[in-house]
């Protein structure tokens, strides 16, 4: 079968190529550029726990070591510390975590530390992982100018000295906010232009924050005007900081002189009145747009990343969502490539991902008038300033309605209500928490390390088994019956055992999608329920309990 054509060789396109290769799906990546990224320290990405784990799983290298895990986060207004968070990089997501909303002005809450990394470093790690990948071909200096679809595949033409036609099974546009793929497929891209603008500087300096990121609103050295109303300082490795100043609405020209003046006054304000020594490494202007493509799929053509959505105001970062697009799409393209089109499964990509990004865009657009209006509710609602700081912090730290990754509770792949279903601390459709599990070969691994292999994960919660030899527990108690139920599923699945999972009772069974989202949790071994949930997760028809029991039994008997 023909490979998947991926248009665009940024982080999203390269991630999709790697994710497909891990599931034995070949791809051709059409790179408009020369095949390397210019180092730009003023262009960075903030990744949450799930996307950091995805990058490390795909590249096979500790990506987190190339970035900075912040020691904490501080929100200031004028000279007052309004909110403070201490990050614990060793804390597993979901364990011992306090919501930032529980913190008081002087209180400290703990959250998993975000990863701040230069985007070119991330791209280079992906390129290095792809260098030895036999299933991926990267073609440089290839600019797309035509797409033709047929029932059996898709053809793309690239222009240049050696214009070429490429034949593919599917095509995915990961070619940014000015996407050629989107334009060729005549997909509308409505939204708002220049929602916010920020002047950006990357510099090396010693600041008094000791590895903590800082959001400073209304700093005392700038007492009027929105142009000085907000500055963010976020550390990178090797003593480098990225500073962002919110610019006033309009098209104010950001000159080198203006940027240097901002750098000097900001550093002086933070260090007590005298500008400390610093080395200016890179500058830029970051313009935020809010746009959402009407369709993310047209036949065999899909959109992902900035080609499908633009967001980034109030601290939210679009790359996180773009990487989730790639992770979501890869495991759905894989069975379609191997076994033939499965329309319900492929359609669910748009249903899930577009809804997730739309929710974040709505939350940011609703918050913007309150945060940037300079009055309004702030004057009449007690404590509203503190609430505004909380909203901003949610966006920057990946929490709440603005920043948190969305669940797929209303996904077309969600199973019907199941008789044996029980609740845990992770809602249906949400990303699973990372816990240590025992694999079928007896090795201890992290749950997230088993994702992205093109299989469902079935996790049995069995306290005490961690100290047993596998030969004792693999054939004891409910394990043989559960193993038989897993073998009978309509899709390859891996059976894992965990000592515990937040909110789960002993003998609970978790069913997890290949992209790490929870399908359901069952009380004990329930083959029919497990079969129904697995089939629903693949876009299959909803069956009655009797039909599922009969089908699961027939499948078990034939294997």
């Amino acid at each position: 079968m023909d490979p998947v054509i991926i248009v665009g060789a940024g982080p999203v396109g390269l991630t999709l190529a790697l994710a497909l290769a891990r599931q034995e799906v070949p791809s051709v990546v059409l790179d408009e550029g020369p095949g390397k990224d210019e180092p730009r320290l003023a262009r960075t990405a903030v990744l949450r726990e799930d996307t950091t784990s995805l990058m490390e799983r795909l590249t096979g290298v500790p990506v987190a070591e190339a970035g900075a895990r912040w020691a904490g986060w501080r929100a200031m207004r004028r000279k007052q510390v309004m909110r403070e968070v201490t990050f614990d990089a060793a804390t597993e997501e979901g364990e011992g975590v306090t919501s930032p909303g529980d913190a008081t002005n002087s209180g400290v809450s703990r959250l998993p530390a975000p990863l701040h990394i230069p985007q070119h470093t991330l791209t280079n790690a992906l390129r290095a992982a792809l260098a030895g990948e036999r299933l991926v071909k990267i073609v440089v200096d290839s600019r797309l100018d035509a797409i033709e679809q047929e029932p059996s595949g898709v053809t793309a033409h690239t222009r240049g000295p050696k214009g070429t036609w490429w034949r593919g099974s599917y095509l995915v546009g990961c070619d940014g906010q000015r996407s050629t793929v989107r334009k060729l497929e005549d997909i509308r891209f409505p939204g708002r232009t220049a929602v916010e603008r920020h002047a950006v500087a990357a510099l090396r300096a010693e600041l008094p924050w000791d590895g903590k990121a800082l959001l400073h609103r209304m700093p005392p050295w700038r007492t009027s005007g929105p142009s000085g109303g907000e500055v963010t300082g976020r550390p990178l490795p090797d003593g480098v900081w990225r500073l962002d100043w919110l610019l006033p609405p309009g098209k104010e020209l950001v000159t080198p002189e203006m940027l240097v003046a901002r750098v000097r006054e900001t550093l002086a304000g933070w260090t007590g009145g005298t500008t400390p020594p610093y080395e200016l490494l890179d500058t830029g202007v970051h313009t935020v747009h809010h746009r959402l493509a009407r369709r993310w799929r047209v036949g065999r053509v899909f959109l992902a990343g900035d080609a499908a959505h633009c967001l980034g105001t109030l601290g939210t970062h679009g790359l996180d969502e773009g990487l989730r697009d790639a992770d979501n799409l890869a495991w759905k393209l894989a069975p379609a490539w191997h076994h033939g089109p499965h329309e319900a499964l492929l359609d669910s990509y748009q249903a899930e991902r577009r809804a997730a990004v739309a929710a974040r865009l709505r939350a940011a657009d609703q918050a913007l008038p309150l945060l940037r209006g300079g009055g309004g509710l702030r004057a009449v609602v007690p404590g509203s300033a503190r609430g505004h700081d909380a909203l901003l912090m949610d966006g920057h730290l990946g929490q709440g309605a603005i920043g948190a990754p969305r669940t797929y509770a209303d996904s077309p792949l969600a199973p019907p209500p199941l008789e044996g279903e029980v609740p845990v601390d992770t809602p249906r459709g949400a990303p699973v928490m990372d816990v240590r599990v025992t694999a079928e070969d007896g090795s201890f691994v992290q749950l997230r390390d088993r994702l992205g292999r093109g299989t469902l994960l079935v996790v049995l919660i069995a306290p005490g088994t961690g100290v047993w030899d596998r030969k004792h527990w693999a054939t004891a108690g409910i394990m043989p019956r559960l193993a038989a139920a897993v073998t009978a599923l309509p899709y390859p699945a891996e059976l894992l055992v965990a000592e515990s999972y937040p909110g789960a009772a002993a003998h609970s069974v978790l069913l997890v999608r290949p992209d790490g989202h929870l399908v359901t949790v069952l009380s004990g071994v329930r083959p029919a329920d497990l079969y129904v949930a697995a089939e629903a997760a693949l876009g299959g028809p909803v069956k009655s309990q009797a039909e599922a029991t009969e089908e699961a039994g027939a499948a078990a008997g034939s294997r």
Side-chain angles (χ1 to χ4, degrees), residues 285-482:
V285 176
H286 175 52
T287 302
V288 177
H289 309 290
H290 278 184
R291 294 189 176 276
L292 187 65
R294 291 288 191 193
R295 293 179 292 168
W296 291 28
R297 180 191 181 192
V298 179
R300 289 178 173 266
V301 175
F302 297 82
L303 299 179
D306 287 352
H309 52 78
C310 293
L311 71 162
T313 190
L314 306 182
T316 61
H317 294 270
L319 181 56
D320 242 2
E321 294 294 0
L323 298 178
R324 292 177 184 129
D325 293 345
D327 196 23
N328 185 289
L329 182 56
W331 80 267
K332 295 171 180 178
L333 283 175
W337 191 89
H338 286 292
H339 308 296
H342 194 321
E343 296 305 310
L345 186 61
L346 294 176
D347 283 343
S348 72
Y349 166 67
Q350 172 176 310
E352 290 182 345
R353 293 301 306 144
R354 191 178 187 279
V357 175
R360 287 187 69 174
L361 280 171
R362 281 194 301 271
D365 283 340
Q366 290 168 1
L368 263 175
L370 298 178
L371 295 168
R372 307 303 191 209
L377 290 178
R378 182 180 303 175
V380 297
V381 179
S384 60
R386 187 178 303 172
H388 296 170
D389 291 326
L391 276 174
L392 276 171
M393 193 165 80
D394 280 351
H396 281 280
L397 303 187
Q399 305 294 313
I402 293 177
R406 321 309 294 187
T407 69
Y408 302 145
D410 298 324
S411 166
L413 304 184
L418 301 169
E419 183 180 338
E421 193 167 31
V422 292
V424 294
D425 289 356
T426 301
R428 246 193 192 202
V432 291
M433 300 177 191
D434 200 17
V435 297
R436 191 177 78 157
V437 295
T438 306
E440 293 184 6
D441 62 1
S443 61
F444 292 113
V445 294
Q446 290 300 122
L447 178 56
R448 283 187 178 148
D449 291 342
R450 312 306 284 189
L451 300 174
R453 297 170 175 238
T455 62
L456 296 169
L457 301 181
V458 178
V459 185
L460 171 66
I461 309 305
T465 52
V467 298
W468 291 18
D469 190 287
R470 182 183 180 276
K471 64 183 180 183
H472 296 304
W473 57 256
T475 57
I478 64 174
M479 280 296 291
R481 186 165 175 245
L482 179 57

Side-chain angles (χ1 to χ4, degrees), residues 210-225:
D210 193 23
K212 293 184 177 180
L214 170 73
L215 171 66
H216 200 162
R217 305 187 74 197
M218 303 176 68
W221 57 87
R222 279 192 169 264
T223 56
S224 64

Side-chain angles (χ1 to χ4, degrees), residues 16 88 94 115 147 152 185 190 259 274-275 280 302 331 344 359 387 427 470 483 489 508 522 542:
L16 179 60
D88 184 356
L115 174 68
I147 299 173
S152 59
E185 292 300 314
L259 254 176
T274 302
T275 302
L280 188 60
F302 297 82
W331 80 267
R470 182 183 180 276
L489 292 179
S508 296
L522 303 174
V542 175

Side-chain angles (χ1 to χ4, degrees), residues 70-85 87 116 207-217 219-221 230-236 241-245 266-267 269-271 392-393 396-397:
W70 301 333
W73 174 271
R74 178 176 295 179
M76 296 183 67
R77 179 183 292 274
R78 298 185 178 89
K79 296 182 180 181
Q80 182 181 4
V81 176
M82 302 295 291
R83 302 174 68 83
E84 189 167 8
V85 173
F87 296 128
H116 190 203
L207 296 178
W209 314 120
D210 193 23
K212 293 184 177 180
L214 170 73
L215 171 66
H216 200 162
R217 305 187 74 197
W221 57 87
E230 186 175 303
V231 57
T232 306
R234 294 173 287 183
L236 286 161
W241 290 76
R242 170 174 166 166
L243 274 57
D244 292 61
W245 293 269
T266 300
L267 296 184
W270 283 347
T271 56
L392 276 171
M393 193 165 80
H396 281 280
L397 303 187

Side-chain angles (χ1 to χ4, degrees), residues 15-72:
T15 295
L16 179 60
L18 266 177
L20 288 171
R22 297 294 182 267
Q23 298 171 70
E24 296 298 314
V25 177
S27 63
V28 173
V29 181
L30 303 180
D31 185 353
E32 184 178 323
K36 59 181 179 180
D37 280 22
E38 176 188 359
R40 289 292 311 273
L41 289 173
R43 190 179 187 189
T44 63
V46 180
L47 303 183
R48 317 305 172 193
E49 288 295 290
D50 62 321
T51 47
T52 300
S53 175
L54 172 65
M55 292 295 95
E56 295 192 335
R57 187 171 71 246
L58 290 177
T59 62
V61 298
V63 170
E65 294 180 4
R69 290 228 184 243
W70 301 333

